[in-house]
DNA sequence: TTGACGAGTGTACGTCGTACACCTACCGTG
DNA sequence: CACGGTAGGTGTACGACGTACACTCGTCAA
């Protein structure tokens, strides 16, 4: 009989195993359903066992973010600053898209982990070596904000919530008395029906906004913009 | 003796009173400390009494967002589209700043309340009457994202968390081995020390990013940009 | 007078995060 | 081989939390 790896002895927990299990579990059941107790059960262990590897739930969430961050591709060598930044950010976005809970969790962290700091550092570095002053880089990073990590600054997943509950009243439901919202929603649906599920192409929207910002950054860089005058990007 | 308003009879609860109390309470103790039970105690009432006026905690949060939204100034009449949008968004931001919890709560709502929809409708209307096509307005709204409501797409409140816990090691703590982060942080602190508390002027950063976007929108509008070509804002 | 109704109450359940004391299998050292 | 420290896993317990459900009680129309 097998002497090694006797099944009665579970493979021991590690911080890494806990974090990966948490990520997979959240991918499956959603972040709001993730609890220390359920995660422990998933790992075949008593809840308190987890606390030998993470200090508390907040640190668990921090670690989960780090796992997602580790999926971001390393910086592409060479090329212009815009291409480099664009490539990195789109890679970050791809990592996030695989974990629908990640965006929300990232936004509720109160301070960055070293992994996140390292990522920010590398993005800042791209601007600096691309010819941006410290001053401009600073403002540019603020302007990028969460988009730097691939977060879409969306307000809601679906505009009027087509939830499972019955919604009576008129067939113009949802957009109700909001003519402009309805106009937009209608146009999106009818437009080009190539996009599969929902009415609009999130990837396109993300790149649209990203390129709009990057183009704006480039313009400011070229004209040697500085915040000394303190009057926003429109300054000639 | 006073016959009316005998103090033994509390002024009755209403949905409005519950929501306003919740907003004030969250302003005071923070959103994560707000619970149905504590809110009930604050109102001198048993926890279950709240459920006669709000369906559950999610609806309470929805209602709290609506209260904040109601503080946004109505649209300014006349003027160009950019001034109108800018004014409205900065007003929204002012409303949010009075309630530090609001940004986080808004971002965890799964669908917009009618009040939020109405606000979005009015912003969309400004673009449309300002000469933006339905198509461009759609993408522009995505690009604005949460910034439309005054949300700053910031990743963290304070970069390296100067928490109350003692942090030994080198005096270059925080920025540790992140040279570009340190460069930025150092420059911000030394720059113009006019800004009071923290190292940088959030209002300036918000307007910087907002104007960058609005200017980009204007450029696209002027050149009659359309998503038919599907290649982002940089298209000539 | 009555009886329906809406606001507020009381009790209870299941879930959560986690403090604290405990066991126990393993290891390097004597 | 004996031994004692230690890291990892356990068991019990506590004080939150949201909220279902059955109730009381004051008010007001019929």
């Amino acid at each position: 009989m097998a002497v090694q790896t006797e099944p009665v002895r579970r493979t021991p927990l590690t911080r890494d195993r806990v974090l990966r299990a948490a990520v997979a579990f959240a991918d499956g059941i959603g972040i709001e359903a993730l609890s220390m107790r359920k995660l422990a059960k998933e790992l075949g262990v008593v809840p308190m066992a987890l606390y030998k590897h993470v200090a508390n739930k907040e640190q668990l969430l921090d670690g989960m973010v780090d796992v997602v961050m580790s999926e971001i591709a390393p910086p592409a060598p060479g090329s212009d600053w815009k291409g480099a930044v664009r490539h990195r950010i789109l890679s970050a976005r791809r990592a996030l898209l695989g974990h629908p809970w990640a965006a929300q969790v990232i936004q509720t962290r109160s301070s960055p982990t070293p992994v996140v700091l390292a990522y920010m550092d590398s993005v800042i570095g791209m601007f600096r070596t691309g010819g941006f002053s410290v001053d401009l880089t600073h403002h540019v990073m603020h302007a990028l904000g969460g988009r730097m990590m691939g977060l879409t600054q969306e307000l809601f997943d679906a505009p009027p919530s087509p939830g499972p509950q019955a919604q009576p009243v008129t067939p113009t439901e949802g957009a109700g008395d909001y003519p402009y919202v309805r106009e937009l929603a209608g146009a999106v649906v009818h437009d080009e029906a190539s996009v599969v599920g929902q009415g609009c192409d999130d990837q396109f929207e993300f790149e649209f906004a990203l390129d709009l910002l990057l183009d704006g950054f480039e313009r400011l860089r070229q004209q040697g913009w500085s915040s000394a005058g303190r009057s926003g990007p429109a300054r000639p």
Side-chain angles (χ1 to χ4, degrees), chain A residues 1-73:
Chain A
M1 319 107 177
V3 174
Q4 289 184 304
T5 71
E6 184 78 10
V8 78
R9 209 109 226 87
R10 292 185 316 280
T11 78
L13 250 44
T14 60
R15 179 178 159 86
D16 199 68
R17 232 165 72 75
V18 169
L19 295 181
R20 290 181 187 287
V23 166
F25 201 42
D27 287 350
I29 66 167
I31 193 68
E32 69 292 331
L34 174 71
S35 73
M36 298 299 273
R37 300 170 110 105
K38 289 190 206 150
L39 177 57
K41 183 167 288 180
E42 190 78 2
L43 285 161
V45 114
V46 100
M48 287 312 292
L50 301 179
Y51 288 87
K52 298 287 184 193
H53 301 98
V54 295
N56 49 45
K57 193 178 182 183
E58 287 299 292
Q59 266 207 18
L60 177 80
L61 294 172
D62 281 348
M64 292 170 67
V65 169
D66 286 352
V67 170
V68 173
M69 296 286 299
S70 75
E71 297 174 7
I72 301 178

Side-chain angles (χ1 to χ4, degrees), chain A residues 178-214:
Chain A
Y178 313 106
Y180 290 117
V181 170
R182 184 166 55 235
E183 182 188 50
L184 233 59
V188 169
V189 168
H190 294 139
D191 220 339
E192 340 189 1
S194 61
V195 193
V196 279
Q198 71 269 45
C200 74
D201 181 345
D202 287 341
Q203 183 69 25
F204 179 82
E205 303 303 341
F206 185 84
E207 297 190 22
F208 175 88
L210 179 59
D211 289 337
L212 202 55
L213 286 167
L214 295 183

Side-chain angles (χ1 to χ4, degrees), chain A residues 79-236:
Chain A
S79 83
D80 60 322
W81 74 265
K82 198 193 281 187
V85 168
R86 194 174 193 281
H87 174 266
R88 200 87 203 283
I89 289 181
L90 289 180
S91 170
R93 174 167 160 82
R94 235 170 290 123
L96 281 209
L97 284 182
H99 310 282
W101 47 270
Q104 192 181 128
V105 172
I106 288 173
Q107 272 165 328
T108 57
R109 300 303 79 206
S110 57
S111 64
T113 64
V115 173
V116 172
L117 263 183
Y119 174 77
M120 292 174 58
D121 196 69
S122 91
V123 175
I124 295 171
M126 290 177 191
F127 283 110
R128 294 288 290 120
T129 62
F132 284 66
S133 71
V134 170
D135 178 53
L136 182 53
T137 303
H138 170 218
H139 302 302
V140 145
M141 288 296 288
H142 273 282
L144 267 183
R147 231 179 291 254
M148 164 192 42
M149 296 192 53
L151 302 181
T152 305
Q153 171 70 297
E154 227 44 85
L155 266 181
F156 306 103
D157 300 334
S161 154
Q165 80 283 17
Q167 263 174 314
V169 290
T170 74
T172 46
E173 57 100 17
D177 297 321
Y178 313 106
Y180 290 117
V181 170
R182 184 166 55 235
E183 182 188 50
L184 233 59
V188 169
V189 168
H190 294 139
D191 220 339
E192 340 189 1
S194 61
V195 193
V196 279
Q198 71 269 45
C200 74
D201 181 345
D202 287 341
Q203 183 69 25
F204 179 82
E205 303 303 341
F206 185 84
E207 297 190 22
F208 175 88
L210 179 59
D211 289 337
L212 202 55
L213 286 167
L214 295 183
D215 290 352
F217 298 164
E218 172 67 5
R219 243 186 299 268
L220 294 178
R221 187 190 64 81
Q222 277 171 2
Q223 67 197 39
W225 183 92
S226 140
S227 67
R230 276 296 160 107
S231 58
R235 243 184 118 63

